[in-house]
Amino acid sequence: MAFESLSDKLASVFKKLRGKGKLTEQDIKDAMREVRMALLEADVNYKVAKDFIAGVTQRAMGQEVMESLTPAQQVIKIVNDELTELMGGSEAARIHIKSKPPTVIMMCGLQGAGKTTHTAKLAKHFIKEGHRPLLAACDIYRPAAVDQLKIVGEKAGAPVFALPGEKPEAIAKKAVAHAKDYGNDIVILDTAGRLHVDGDLMAELQRIKENVQVDETLLVIDAMAGQDAVNVAKSFSESTGLDGVILTKLDGDTRGGSALSVRAVTGKPIKFAGVGEKLDDLEVFHPSRMASRILGMGDVLTLIEKAQDTADQKKAEETAKRLMQNKFDMNDMLDQFEQVKKMGGAAAMMSMAAPNVLNDSFLLNVYAANGWVQEDSEWHFYDEDGYLESNTWKKRGSDWYYLDDDGNVTVNQRVDEYYVDSEGKMVKNKWVSPEGEETYDSPDSASDQEWNYFDKNGKIVTSRWMAIQNNWHYFDEDGIMQTGVLELDGSVYYLGKESDGVRKTGWILLEDITEDTDDEGIWCYFDEDGKLVVNQIDRKIDGAFYTFENGQMQTGWVKTEKTAEGEADSPASYQYYDEEQGGKRASGWYQIEGGYVSSDYVAQVDAAVASASGKGSEIAKYAQQYVGYPYVYGGSSPRGFDCSGFVTYVCKQFGHSVNRTASAQMDNGTAVSKSQLQPGDLVFFNNGNSRKRATHVGIYIGGNQFVHASTPTVGVIVSDMNSAYYGTGFVGARRLA
């Protein structure tokens, strides 16, 4: 296990100080000489070890130690403080997530360091925090690198973006664009492994940064590389620029010198540590906790966090009940063994449970001077000097408590951005009614009133969206849960009535939102993000097309576009939306009963045109049934399509024989302009390749949308021709009939 050899040697050094009532300068010098040797044997950088010993010695020679009644304990405290500072200070370094997504993280490092695996680990870590990461396969050199990323990405629950044949910088750029289109708030770039002396590949990282705004550059280092890991970190930091380090295989390195040296040599913090082979085996690197592990005092906080992540609360309560009822059997014991296994096994738990403390009463007394004391039914906390603590947070067990002016535990009230319940515990992941001074599992647990929510860290949620039990809520600047209609950042949301507060999606009858009886029977639609569809023509919903004006679904004849200034309205600028069919757009020839239609609305066409228009609509409708089918390069059947193979297959079903490639298909049929497009027309695009007339083809289905075989990642999909990518790449259209 990590730091095993260093911990044993340090424990031996401090044990020699145990029986001495007073320490002399020579005692401290002898002890520090052994500590320095222990650090060097643990593969700590020589200069780092030298500076560390100098700092500890200077503090240990002061009055704080020399005149202390327990000098050895003071020396351990100094070593603990200096170790914590050496590895980055008391606070763990975090990855900053931008308020405007996506946040782009680039993974780099040597071959075999574990970049691809830890890319997936990092994605799973972010998923647990409520984010939607996208993995980008930028390693185009290592065989099966893309396949490996897809496998681990699937296990982590994160999608993978890959573009075979493209350069890494192009893949990264298009991955970011893809993330913006599909709502991924984090993009993690898995780059190729490289030597730190490989100038070409190091230049590749620079090109990626020139094409994409990289927010975090993380170096993945193998902890078992020892001193060379520090050299690698220094080289990458100087040539590429780093924001942090992920230390892998820390569980397999008994020395741990790289963890103690990287921060001091590069100035860049260690942000995560890989402690196992599973995707869950990734820990936020806490310098203070790691220092505690090194000194054999364990890491109870990390142990508690692991237990909270893996434990089944309901099952634990049932087990405790069975134990109290004397019904605990071998099956229950097996369940407990499985729980220990999920947490990394008994060895991993013991490494965090302070093995040296358990076996050495001397170390146990290092911090024995402070603690909780119950006096007259009130709990108080005394510091190491015996003074009563007040106006501060203190932890007891796994819970936090706030001590007031008198040092008493505060109950049932707000404390700055936090809240304590009737027992004085800081609430986490709980609803709180400021009026009722109680906590609840959900807002509908009590009558209609205002609600706050306190997150997993106990902090009140303000001025943001929060997903709670798979439902989205919005809290204002005061932390009050919002209900009803909410206008935010130019969009309109509906959060239900009274104590509901849940962001709604889908169809909502307007009379359910307002009290205006004139709004009865008018339907609105809220998209997958809860935003009201305001002014859109032919918005596709569940395979049908609808038009909205001022947030209201339209029925009957609707003018869909304006003609040139000074000209009469074009008959083609009107479409019909059938109220009896729930507002769906009518397509093809459609019989409308009950009235007359003016020639201002309907254009007169001959039979040939009507027949062609009808057949085009049939082609478009037929093509859409293959949405979701896989993309296969060179494929032209339902087993898998590429873009031109998809067009060839669909057209063949209607008696049209077309050429095989996108460029050649531009010779089929007759040319039509973008403004004249009808369902069933072929639409062509070019990604900037000057040697080809077209690099991509699809089938137009109306409403500025087309269906096509896109990429191996998404298969056959429907896309918007006016999107940033396709809007600029359109090169022409052809009509087959």
Side-chain angles (χ1 to χ4, degrees):
M1 75 187 57
F3 305 105
E4 185 177 358
S5 62
L6 178 59
S7 295
D8 291 343
K9 287 182 172 62
L10 290 178
S12 177
V13 172
F14 297 138
K15 191 174 183 178
K16 293 179 182 180
L17 302 176
R18 182 174 6 193
K20 300 187 179 190
K22 289 285 184 179
L23 294 181
T24 66
E25 290 188 8
Q26 189 59 45
D27 291 331
I28 293 175
K29 287 181 180 179
D30 292 342
M32 292 302 104
R33 187 181 300 111
E34 292 188 47
V35 171
R36 182 176 65 181
M37 291 302 298
L39 292 172
L40 293 175
E41 289 177 9
D43 224 356
V44 176
N45 179 273
Y46 174 78
K47 186 177 183 305
V48 173
K50 181 181 178 183
D51 293 343
F52 175 83
I53 294 299
V56 173
T57 302
Q58 183 179 0
R59 289 184 59 185
M61 291 294 188
Q63 277 187 326
E64 179 185 0
V65 172
M66 304 303 290
E67 297 181 9
S68 173
L69 295 176
T70 55
Q73 295 178 14
Q74 293 297 326
V75 171
I76 295 174
K77 186 176 185 301
I78 291 171
V79 172
N80 180 73
D81 293 343
E82 292 294 323
L83 279 174
T84 300
E85 189 62 30
L86 179 65
M87 291 185 288
S90 58
E91 297 294 328
R94 302 283 184 173
I95 291 180
H96 176 67
I97 305 298
K98 295 192 302 185
S99 58
K100 185 178 181 181
T103 299
V104 180
I105 302 170
M106 183 171 71
M107 308 283 278
C108 59
L110 300 183
Q111 296 173 347
K115 289 184 304 303
T116 301
T117 302
H118 281 75
T119 296
K121 286 185 178 182
L122 196 60
K124 191 167 186 179
H125 169 79
F126 286 129
I127 290 172
K128 289 181 180 178
E129 292 186 343
H131 297 285
R132 299 184 62 214
L134 173 69
L135 310 184
C138 297
D139 184 357
I140 62 174
Y141 308 103
R142 181 168 61 90
V146 176
D147 293 334
Q148 183 190 355
L149 185 63
K150 288 181 178 179
I151 292 171
V152 294
E154 183 180 0
K155 290 181 179 179
V160 175
F161 183 90
L163 287 177
E166 293 279 1
K167 294 182 178 179
E169 55 265 33
I171 296 172
K173 188 174 183 178
K174 292 178 181 179
V176 172
H178 182 87
K180 291 179 180 179
D181 290 339
Y182 288 85
N184 301 103
D185 60 345
I186 297 174
V187 178
I188 307 176
L189 309 178
D190 180 29
T191 67
R194 62 205 73 224
L195 297 173
H196 51 286
V197 296
D198 192 332
D200 292 338
L201 287 176
M202 296 298 282
E204 182 181 281
L205 296 178
Q206 291 291 350
R207 289 196 301 273
I208 291 175
K209 284 193 170 185
E210 290 171 1
N211 282 269
V212 177
Q213 182 181 342
V214 177
D215 302 294
E216 291 268 350
T217 303
L218 300 181
L219 177 64
V220 182
I221 300 179
D222 187 343
M224 300 181 70
Q227 192 62 219
D228 191 54
V230 180
N231 298 330
V232 170
K234 185 178 180 182
S235 178
F236 271 85
S237 180
E238 291 172 351
S239 61
T240 306
L242 300 177
D243 297 294
V245 172
I246 297 179
L247 208 57
T248 71
K249 307 176 187 178
L250 192 60
D251 57 312
D253 180 25
T254 61
R255 297 170 299 177
S258 52
L260 297 177
S261 305
V262 166
R263 172 67 163 72
V265 173
T266 67
K268 306 302 179 182
I270 300 172
K271 295 193 174 184
F272 293 94
V275 293
E277 297 179 356
K278 298 178 180 178
L279 294 182
D280 290 317
D281 294 335
L282 184 72
E283 295 179 0
V284 176
F285 190 85
H286 295 270
S288 59
R289 300 183 190 182
M290 194 59 68
S292 183
R293 289 194 201 184
I294 294 172
L295 293 178
M297 291 182 288
D299 182 0
V300 179
L301 287 176
T302 300
L303 183 61
I304 292 170
E305 288 173 358
K306 281 194 172 198
Q308 289 175 337
D309 288 341
T310 59
D312 185 334
Q313 185 67 28
K314 185 177 180 181
K315 197 169 186 178
E317 291 175 356
E318 291 176 355
T319 301
K321 186 177 181 180
R322 287 176 60 81
L323 186 63
M324 294 175 67
Q325 295 174 345
N326 201 25
K327 296 180 179 178
F328 191 90
D329 56 22
M330 295 300 294
N331 290 323
D332 296 317
M333 183 173 288
L334 182 62
D335 289 341
Q336 298 305 301
F337 287 154
E338 288 294 325
Q339 199 67 33
V340 171
K341 189 177 179 181
K342 287 181 182 179
M343 294 174 62
M349 292 177 62
M350 289 300 296
S351 70
M352 292 184 284
N356 288 338
V357 172
L358 296 173
N359 297 321
D360 195 338
S361 60
F362 167 68
L363 291 176
L364 183 63
N365 293 324
V366 172
Y367 299 106
N370 59 12
W372 288 95
V373 177
Q374 190 174 19
E375 301 171 318
D376 299 328
S377 73
E378 291 281 353
W379 282 95
H380 301 98
F381 189 91
Y382 293 88
D383 65 15
E384 60 184 6
D385 297 318
Y387 290 101
L388 180 67
E389 295 266 18
S390 62
N391 296 316
T392 185
W393 289 96
K394 289 296 178 183
K395 195 171 189 180
R396 186 169 82 233
S398 60
D399 297 308
W400 286 93
Y401 299 81
Y402 188 79
L403 304 173
D404 62 15
D405 293 339
D406 299 321
N408 297 323
V409 174
T410 304
V411 298
N412 281 342
Q413 60 180 279
R414 279 276 301 273
V415 180
D416 298 324
E417 297 176 301
Y418 305 89
Y419 190 88
V420 291
D421 62 15
S422 58
E423 297 180 357
K425 298 177 182 178
M426 177 196 294
V427 304
K428 297 180 180 180
N429 293 323
K430 285 288 186 179
W431 291 95
V432 174
S433 168
E435 302 172 6
E437 296 185 343
E438 283 292 342
T439 63
Y440 299 91
D441 293 326
S442 62
D444 59 4
S445 302
S447 59
D448 182 23
Q449 53 196 10
E450 293 183 337
W451 291 95
N452 304 137
Y453 189 81
F454 295 82
D455 63 18
K456 65 179 181 181
N457 298 313
K459 194 172 183 179
I460 189 172
V461 180
T462 61
S463 302
R464 66 183 177 96
W465 292 100
M466 180 77 178
I468 305 170
Q469 296 180 345
N470 298 319
N471 292 319
W472 284 97
H473 301 262
Y474 188 81
F475 300 84
D476 66 10
E477 64 274 9
D478 298 319
I480 304 298
M481 181 193 76
Q482 301 298 286
T483 61
V485 177
L486 172 68
E487 296 185 20
L488 183 67
D489 298 332
S491 297
V492 178
Y493 304 85
Y494 180 56
L495 306 180
K497 295 181 179 181
E498 299 174 349
S499 63
D500 182 8
V502 176
R503 188 176 74 189
K504 308 302 181 184
T505 61
W507 292 100
I508 302 286
L509 196 62
L510 198 59
E511 67 174 351
D512 292 340
I513 304 177
T514 70
E515 301 298 329
D516 189 350
T517 56
D518 293 338
D519 293 334
E520 184 178 357
I522 297 178
W523 287 92
C524 303
Y525 187 80
F526 295 82
D527 64 17
E528 62 274 9
D529 296 320
K531 296 179 180 180
L532 175 68
V533 178
V534 182
N535 294 311
Q536 287 193 21
I537 297 170
D538 284 344
R539 171 66 181 257
K540 191 174 184 180
I541 303 172
D542 296 331
F545 294 91
Y546 304 83
T547 286
F548 299 86
E549 185 176 337
N550 296 325
Q552 301 177 3
M553 183 192 76
Q554 303 297 295
T555 59
W557 289 102
V558 176
K559 186 178 179 181
T560 60
E561 62 183 54
K562 294 183 178 179
T563 58
E565 186 176 355
E567 296 184 6
D569 291 340
S570 169
S573 64
Y574 293 88
Q575 292 179 329
Y576 187 76
Y577 298 84
D578 193 347
E579 184 175 5
E580 294 184 359
Q581 296 295 321
K584 297 179 181 178
R585 187 193 73 196
S587 63
W589 290 102
Y590 202 81
Q591 184 177 359
I592 302 170
E593 299 179 355
Y596 299 91
V597 178
S598 168
S599 59
D600 293 335
Y601 292 85
V602 181
Q604 186 174 359
V605 298
D606 59 28
V609 173
S611 177
S613 175
K615 192 171 185 179
S617 297
E618 291 178 17
I619 292 173
K621 185 177 181 180
Y622 180 82
Q624 292 176 72
Q625 71 176 320
Y626 292 101
V627 171
Y629 277 58
Y631 179 100
V632 175
Y633 181 78
S636 59
S637 74
R639 291 190 297 273
F641 301 102
D642 61 13
C643 65
S644 58
F646 176 67
V647 169
T648 302
Y649 178 81
V650 172
C651 291
K652 184 179 179 181
Q653 312 309 309
F654 293 86
H656 296 297
S657 179
V658 298
N659 298 324
R660 184 56 180 85
T661 66
S663 290
Q665 287 171 357
M666 291 192 74
D667 295 327
N668 296 120
T670 58
V672 292
S673 66
K674 192 174 184 179
S675 62
Q676 298 172 326
L677 284 173
Q678 294 181 3
D681 292 344
L682 308 186
V683 289
F684 299 87
F685 307 88
N686 193 305
N687 62 6
N689 190 330
S690 60
R691 296 175 299 174
K692 295 182 179 180
R693 290 189 293 171
T695 58
H696 196 67
V697 62
I699 299 173
Y700 185 73
I701 61 175
N704 290 318
Q705 296 185 313
F706 71 104
V707 60
H708 60 124
S710 177
T711 67
T713 306
V714 297
V716 179
I717 61 172
V718 174
S719 298
D720 192 338
M721 290 187 60
N722 293 330
S723 66
Y725 183 79
Y726 293 108
T728 58
F730 178 79
V731 293
R734 308 289 289 189
R735 186 168 297 158
L736 299 179

